[in-house]
Amino acid sequence: MELCCIYIETEKFKEVIDFYEKVFQIKGKVYTENRWIEFDFGSKLSIYNKKYDTELINKKKENTKFSQTYIENFKENRERPLNNIVTFNFYTKDLKKEQERIKKLNICKVTEIMYVNITEPYYYFNVYDPEGNTIEICGDDYK
């Protein structure tokens, strides 16, 4: 087995895409207009617009785009609470510069640079996307 991608389910599609394009300074590649976009970092981080499927499912009773099992699972999963327990970890060479750049965007909460030294020195800060997902940006000693 191999990892295809990691994706975020969102109902704030345009807002989440805008956030990631600004933070990562790259444009995502659109696969399905208004439904799916991918950012390629060697591995893919994708954004999936749940509203797109909701609208298609609600349009007609006989749906040729989805199996009945998909529709039932989709509706069942819409009731579950959001669970933001995954952290996306990225590395940058200049940690302080990257933190300052993201702060200037004024699009999210940005923590101060933190330090942990369990097996080796580790410096990082966190930002949070519009859905509350944590993006941890780490780098070398920033002093």
Side-chain angles (χ1 to χ4, degrees), residues 36-118:
W36 189 271
I37 191 166
E38 293 182 349
F39 296 90
D40 195 340
F41 303 97
S43 294
K44 291 183 177 83
L45 173 62
S46 303
I47 313 296
Y48 157 61
N49 184 5
K50 289 181 76 169
K51 285 185 179 181
Y52 185 95
D53 286 11
T54 301
E55 291 171 7
L56 282 179
I57 288 170
N58 291 335
K59 274 188 178 179
K60 48 186 165 180
K61 290 186 180 191
E62 292 210 20
N63 204 311
T64 60
K65 301 244 183 236
F66 308 105
S67 70
Q68 187 59 37
T69 304
Y70 175 86
I71 293 169
E72 290 168 9
N73 185 66
F74 183 86
K75 288 180 177 179
E76 180 181 311
N77 285 337
R78 292 188 53 80
E79 300 304 318
R80 71 174 186 226
L82 295 176
N83 190 359
N84 297 318
I85 61 170
V86 174
T87 299
F88 301 104
N89 177 256
F90 291 87
Y91 172 82
T92 185
K93 289 182 180 178
D94 192 332
L95 192 61
K96 187 68 175 165
K97 183 177 177 182
E98 190 65 16
Q99 181 200 38
E100 289 170 0
R101 184 189 68 78
I102 294 173
K103 278 184 178 182
K104 287 179 185 172
L105 293 173
N106 199 30
I107 57 171
C108 62
K109 177 183 174 188
V110 180
T111 69
E112 294 304 314
I113 293 175
M114 296 174 263
Y115 169 76
V116 176
N117 189 355
I118 305 299

Side-chain angles (χ1 to χ4, degrees), residues 5-49:
C5 77
I6 296 169
Y7 68 90
I8 299 167
E9 295 180 4
T10 184
E11 293 191 359
K12 301 175 182 179
F13 191 63
K14 292 188 186 310
E15 184 179 348
V16 171
I17 290 169
D18 185 54
F19 172 85
Y20 282 97
E21 286 181 343
K22 287 178 180 172
V23 169
F24 298 134
Q25 301 179 85
I26 61 171
K27 293 283 186 193
K29 182 177 180 183
V30 175
Y31 273 85
T32 305
E33 190 67 35
N34 202 32
R35 184 180 190 265
W36 189 271
I37 191 166
E38 293 182 349
F39 296 90
D40 195 340
F41 303 97
S43 294
K44 291 183 177 83
L45 173 62
S46 303
I47 313 296
Y48 157 61
N49 184 5

